[in-house]
Amino acid sequence: MRPVGVWQWSLWGLLLCLLCSSCLGSPSPSTAPEKRAGSQGLRFRLAGFPRKPFEGRVEIQRAGEWGTICDDDFTLQAAHVLCRELGFTEATGWTHSAKYGPGTGRIWLDNLSCSGTEQSVTECASRGWGNSDCTHDEDAGVICKDERLPGFSDSNVIEVEHHLQVEEVRIRPAVGRGRRPLPVTEGLVEVRLPDGWSQVCDKGWSAHNSHVVCGMLGFPSEKRVNVAFYRKLRKRAAKASARRSKPLGRPVIKLKAKPKPRVGRGPIKRLLAQRQQHSFGLHGVACVGTEAHLSLCSLEFYRANDTTRCPGGGPAVVSCVPSPLYAASSGQKKQQSKPQGEARVRLKGGAHPGEGRVEVLKAGTWGTVCDRKWDLQAASVVCRELGFGSAREALSGARMGQGMGAIHLSEVRCSGQEPSLWKCPHRNITAEDCSHSQDAGVRCNLPYTGVETKIRLSGGRSRHEGRVEVQTGGPGSLRWGLICGDDWGTLEAMVACRQLGLGYANHGLQETWYWDSGNITEVVMSGVHCTGTELSLDQCAHHGTHVACKRTGSHFTAGVICSETASDLLLHSALVQETAYIEDRPLHMLYCAAEENCLASSARSANWPYGHRRLLRFSSQIHNLGRADFRPKAGRHSWVWHECHGHYHSMDIFTHYDILTPNGTKVAEGHKASFCLEDTECQEDVSKRYECANFGEQGITVGCWDLYRHDIDCQWIDITDVKPGNYILQVVINPNFEVAESDFTNNAMKCNCKYDGHRIWVHNCHIGDAFSEEANRRFERYPGQTSNQII
């Protein structure tokens, strides 16, 4: 009898489901699209700010309750499945750590594991529905390809807050249009809605609103606008509009009077045209001032059937204050500000201005910030403190490469109003709390300067490479031309790639005969010399209007190969200090070293094979903490075989070793050729890729290090001729910039060194930019080399 009862209950359940408008939270047949069987009972939507219609925090409705997905074990394959559930063809990316803001309610799925081919998310492995140990700070999001599945109904993709959403903001100048240099710092606020650009009604507009808008446009702060000036413009525009609409009558003769000073006709015409367009789309903007995006403010949108918009008001106007980095390019007067002390926050390892790993200065030493509770508010405080706008993205998980040394801060919680990250509540950290794999980073909003329109690449196989062409001349005489290849190198290529918005430079090429430049053959710039930090090639030193090339012709012009990622080498300074010692080595054991120029010049006149040389030995452990493997510049075909030691040299000079006096005079030197770049050891989750044995590939994998032990040849400095005294030991990696890196300023290490003629003491070893400026000034009279640039 029991089977019969079960069958009867199943029939009753089926009838109930058919009669009810929904079953287990599924939409009614009248409003819901046809669903796949695996997704029956589930609905999906995108939520969060700021975002576009095809991206956002993923939310799932199950049993009538909306919830989120935890980012633990989340992958692109899971994003593919969810994007198809949402009606898109595939995913282009995914986000973690609640990039689109934390959700509410249940966390439905955790440790979601998909292969990417599943028809429904229900087919993926997980901990089970509602079983999670996450918080909403770990909500996952997806970025879908903006292409719909054929026949899919949009009713399954449910917008949470409102249908309309501000996607972008811009400033349109009302005066001086076409004559004011970029970036534009003052003008009418316009927002991009789904149907195009619209103006914002200025009724109730506040300084907090302006602060948010300026932050989105890349400016750290705002200033008061001359409202009376714009009201005067509007009144004149209104009068001009009334005169245009007034019917023509009999002419009236009037006596000429002294003309009153008035605003130019150009601004009136522009304001009149804007008024006639009735382009207001937004009003009732109410920001607190700490928002990183205007979409996070309280907004009211005009409806399509509103006949009257912004009665008695006008378009909102903002005036932003650029940082000194951008004020010079806009021709603004530099503001007289009180001299400030050394910066206590900096960004490292970013390919573009305003992005990088966040580092803070504490007790004279630079350290990183743990990404726990790292959010847009804290990231925006960093960005504005450094002279940029609000944060575009708060990065976690060492997305900008890992730091080395101390981790100073954790669980930073900012309101967004603080003038500095150090003013935010935070927790001091211990070594057990966090690792450098959790270093926080930021991407800041930058003002539009238009520098990328004055440079382009031609002839390359992809948009990331080619012959460099620059635009020169003034209005009416603009022309494109090439750059002389003389002395063009990695630093110049870094600036060019940055100006192009293509990331880092892999190579700076002096000959580009294999790339066709089309009809551009004139060389318009020569003698380019950059430090590597400039925003454009115009800021680098060059010959000006006179062009002088040693090798003429378009075959010997500058070229670049750019990349979104780069390596970053750091020397383990503590190991140098721990392993340094003196050895007196007999000459008869140094023939190979002499052949490879690893001894001082005085060794040539020694009484070989009798006597000895005094060597300062130490181990060097070189880490790659960047985002790309470090590879030799030369290919395998050009590596040089050295018979004496039985190895290949893949780089002529890989490291410089120097002994310097306190005033900077070099008294002894050594060098290391990269005869064996390989992965000696790696982090736990990283596998070795490079090994020199059997003519193997050479390099250092991201997360690995190459160890040169103190007991191998040339791992020393010949100090036979050095007199007793106080010195500085300096080690510089990649000194000739042969291989591109994301950060050259951390390639030099220095130590205090005391030698009494018999023993040596090495102490206070550190990377050149690891200490504050004051601490470096206390480091003897000569601070050593703070980067790998040869002095």
Side-chain angles (χ1 to χ4, degrees):
M1 296 296 291
R2 184 178 297 272
V4 176
V6 172
W7 176 245
Q8 289 174 343
W9 279 113
S10 300
L11 288 174
W12 279 111
L14 179 61
L15 288 172
L16 286 172
C17 282
L18 291 173
L19 292 173
C20 293
S21 61
S22 65
C23 181
L24 290 177
S26 62
S28 62
S30 60
T31 59
E34 185 179 349
K35 304 283 298 215
R36 289 182 293 270
S39 298
Q40 195 67 33
L42 301 178
R43 300 187 74 191
F44 300 83
R45 69 185 182 189
L46 293 171
F49 290 109
R51 64 181 181 84
K52 295 180 179 179
F54 49 85
E55 64 177 339
R57 180 178 65 247
V58 179
E59 296 191 351
I60 304 176
Q61 186 190 55
R62 184 175 186 269
E65 184 178 357
W66 286 101
T68 62
I69 301 175
C70 181
D71 60 13
D72 289 353
D73 298 333
F74 200 88
T75 62
L76 184 62
Q77 285 69 32
H80 283 312
V81 177
L82 287 165
C83 283
R84 288 197 296 269
E85 296 272 25
L86 289 158
F88 299 95
T89 56
E90 61 181 339
T92 60
W94 64 278
T95 64
H96 57 88
S97 304
K99 176 188 175 180
Y100 299 102
T104 57
R106 300 281 294 274
I107 298 178
W108 278 121
L109 293 173
D110 190 5
N111 299 113
L112 183 65
S113 178
C114 305
S115 66
T117 59
E118 292 86 353
Q119 294 297 311
S120 167
V121 72
T122 58
E123 300 174 17
C124 300
S126 69
R127 297 182 59 169
W129 289 98
N131 185 11
S132 171
D133 58 358
C134 300
T135 67
H136 283 295
D137 289 333
E138 302 170 82
D139 283 344
V142 294
I143 304 166
C144 303
K145 185 177 181 180
D146 193 12
E147 183 178 326
R148 287 291 189 184
L149 289 171
F152 190 89
S153 173
D154 283 346
S155 59
N156 187 45
V157 184
I158 305 167
E159 301 289 342
V160 179
E161 291 82 7
H162 44 68
H163 180 66
L164 292 175
Q165 181 183 335
V166 173
E167 296 181 4
E168 293 181 51
V169 175
R170 71 182 183 188
I171 293 179
R172 174 169 291 183
V175 293
R177 190 175 183 181
R179 287 173 286 179
R180 300 183 65 178
L182 297 173
V184 176
T185 58
E186 181 173 315
L188 311 180
V189 180
E190 293 188 341
V191 296
R192 188 163 71 88
L193 302 177
D195 56 349
W197 289 95
S198 299
Q199 295 175 355
V200 182
C201 182
D202 66 353
K203 285 193 173 182
W205 189 264
S206 67
H208 294 317
N209 300 346
S210 298
H211 189 70
V212 174
V213 170
C214 289
M216 289 182 63
L217 296 171
F219 303 109
S221 59
E222 78 293 341
K223 63 180 180 181
R224 293 187 62 183
V225 180
N226 186 355
V227 180
F229 171 77
Y230 286 94
R231 284 177 180 169
K232 190 174 183 180
L233 278 182
R234 290 206 303 269
K235 287 181 180 178
R236 290 185 177 275
K239 290 180 180 179
S241 177
R243 285 197 299 269
R244 288 173 61 120
S245 60
K246 186 176 181 180
L248 295 176
R250 201 165 53 180
V252 179
I253 300 175
K254 292 187 178 181
L255 295 175
K256 289 187 177 180
K258 186 177 179 180
K260 296 181 181 180
R262 60 180 181 177
V263 183
R265 295 172 59 88
I268 295 176
K269 286 184 178 180
R270 279 194 294 278
L271 240 71
L272 177 59
Q274 291 162 355
R275 189 180 184 89
Q276 290 173 339
Q277 290 172 2
H278 299 294
S279 59
F280 291 106
L282 183 64
H283 68 115
V285 180
C287 300
V288 178
T290 60
E291 296 88 351
H293 196 281
L294 196 66
S295 290
L296 298 172
C297 302
S298 174
L299 306 176
E300 294 181 39
F301 295 86
Y302 286 108
R303 296 183 178 88
N305 56 359
D306 287 339
T307 55
T308 304
R309 299 193 178 190
C310 200
V317 181
V318 299
S319 182
C320 305
V321 179
S323 69
L325 182 65
Y326 297 98
S329 62
S330 64
Q332 296 192 8
K333 296 181 180 179
K334 293 186 178 180
Q335 296 182 347
Q336 298 294 329
S337 57
K338 296 180 180 179
Q340 297 179 350
E342 183 183 2
R344 299 186 64 195
V345 178
R346 69 183 184 187
L347 300 181
K348 299 285 281 185
H352 309 282
E355 72 173 25
R357 178 178 62 254
V358 179
E359 296 191 353
V360 294
L361 186 65
K362 180 180 180 182
T365 304
W366 287 97
T368 61
V369 178
C370 184
D371 63 7
R372 290 181 181 171
K373 298 186 179 179
W374 186 250
D375 57 14
L376 277 175
Q377 276 68 38
S380 293
V381 170
V382 170
C383 290
R384 291 185 188 272
E385 182 178 359
L386 294 173
F388 304 105
S390 53
R392 182 162 49 94
E393 194 170 359
L395 303 173
S396 59
R399 291 270 299 281
M400 286 295 169
Q402 297 186 22
M404 202 168 184
I407 302 175
H408 286 327
L409 301 179
S410 180
E411 297 185 15
V412 180
R413 302 298 287 177
C414 301
S415 67
Q417 299 175 333
E418 296 84 355
S420 171
L421 191 68
W422 282 104
K423 300 293 184 181
C424 300
H426 60 270
R427 188 170 66 85
N428 294 325
I429 195 166
T430 62
E432 295 78 19
D433 290 333
C434 206
S435 67
H436 282 295
S437 63
Q438 298 171 268
D439 283 341
V442 297
R443 284 196 178 103
C444 305
N445 287 315
L446 307 178
Y448 176 72
T449 59
V451 294
E452 66 274 16
T453 63
K454 299 179 181 179
I455 186 173
R456 67 188 184 190
L457 299 181
S458 65
R461 296 162 295 182
S462 70
R463 70 183 190 93
H464 286 87
E465 67 177 25
R467 189 174 289 174
V468 180
E469 298 179 0
V470 292
Q471 192 179 61
T472 59
S477 62
L478 292 174
R479 70 186 194 277
W480 288 95
L482 305 172
I483 300 176
C484 181
D486 296 343
D487 302 321
W488 180 268
T490 303
L491 296 181
E492 290 72 31
M494 286 178 66
V495 176
C497 291
R498 181 182 299 119
Q499 184 176 354
L500 287 160
L502 296 178
Y504 306 98
N506 266 356
H507 297 289
L509 307 170
Q510 297 183 358
E511 297 183 17
T512 54
W513 51 268
Y514 40 82
W515 282 334
D516 180 21
S517 63
N519 57 354
I520 304 296
T521 58
E522 182 186 7
V523 177
V524 297
M525 185 180 290
S526 63
V528 180
H529 180 75
C530 305
T531 63
T533 60
E534 296 87 351
L535 298 180
S536 67
L537 290 175
D538 288 338
Q539 298 177 359
C540 300
H542 55 87
H543 287 158
T545 56
H546 177 68
V547 176
C549 291
K550 298 175 185 177
R551 300 180 298 176
T552 58
S554 59
H555 288 177
F556 303 104
T557 54
V560 295
I561 300 177
C562 305
S563 173
E564 288 297 328
T565 58
S567 60
D568 186 19
L569 299 186
L570 284 88
L571 184 67
H572 187 15
S573 56
L575 185 64
V576 174
Q577 182 170 318
E578 294 167 4
T579 58
Y581 67 97
I582 288 178
E583 179 195 13
D584 290 334
R585 193 163 182 82
L587 279 173
H588 68 83
M589 301 177 68
L590 294 172
Y591 278 104
C592 281
E595 182 182 319
E596 296 187 2
N597 297 318
C598 295
L599 300 175
S601 58
S602 62
R604 299 192 188 99
S605 58
N607 186 23
W608 291 81
Y610 307 104
H612 68 274
R613 304 299 293 183
R614 176 156 288 183
L615 309 174
L616 170 59
R617 286 183 172 275
F618 50 87
S619 297
S620 63
Q621 185 172 295
I622 300 167
H623 293 245
N624 181 7
L625 298 181
R627 291 186 286 152
D629 294 352
F630 184 92
R631 298 298 307 279
K633 180 179 181 181
R636 296 166 61 114
H637 63 280
S638 60
W639 295 355
V640 179
W641 172 259
H642 281 246
E643 186 67 35
C644 186
H645 283 127
H647 53 64
Y648 283 92
H649 282 207
S650 59
M651 291 175 65
D652 293 333
I653 299 293
F654 179 55
T655 314
H656 276 162
Y657 305 143
D658 299 316
I659 297 291
L660 309 169
T661 63
N663 64 6
T665 303
K666 187 184 296 184
V667 296
E669 64 181 7
H671 75 274
K672 191 72 174 178
S674 66
F675 65 83
C676 185
L677 275 177
E678 67 178 4
D679 297 327
T680 308
E681 292 183 58
C682 300
Q683 298 170 1
E684 292 182 2
D685 56 342
V686 180
S687 300
K688 298 180 181 180
R689 297 183 59 188
Y690 304 104
E691 187 176 4
C692 297
N694 302 318
F695 195 34
E697 289 288 351
Q698 294 192 25
I700 307 177
T701 305
V702 176
C704 299
W705 54 89
D706 190 4
L707 174 64
Y708 290 95
R709 288 175 52 89
H710 58 84
D711 54 358
I712 65 174
D713 269 2
C714 298
Q715 188 59 36
W716 63 55
I717 302 177
D718 186 349
I719 61 170
T720 305
D721 306 319
V722 176
K723 298 177 181 180
N726 293 324
Y727 298 97
I728 292 174
L729 166 62
Q730 181 170 272
V731 179
V732 186
I733 309 169
N734 193 17
N736 298 333
F737 310 108
E738 287 192 34
V739 178
E741 298 183 51
S742 61
D743 187 359
F744 286 115
T745 62
N746 56 14
N747 283 26
M749 184 221 69
K750 54 190 178 182
C751 311
N752 280 117
C753 186
K754 183 176 182 179
Y755 176 51
D756 66 358
H758 304 283
R759 294 166 297 177
I760 197 163
W761 292 267
V762 176
H763 60 96
N764 202 20
C765 294
H766 63 281
I767 301 298
D769 66 344
F771 285 173
S772 66
E773 293 178 6
E774 182 181 353
N776 271 324
R777 282 194 293 268
R778 293 197 304 265
F779 188 85
E780 302 290 351
R781 283 177 295 164
Y782 171 66
Q785 185 176 303
T786 57
S787 72
N788 67 337
Q789 185 174 355
I790 305 303
I791 296 176

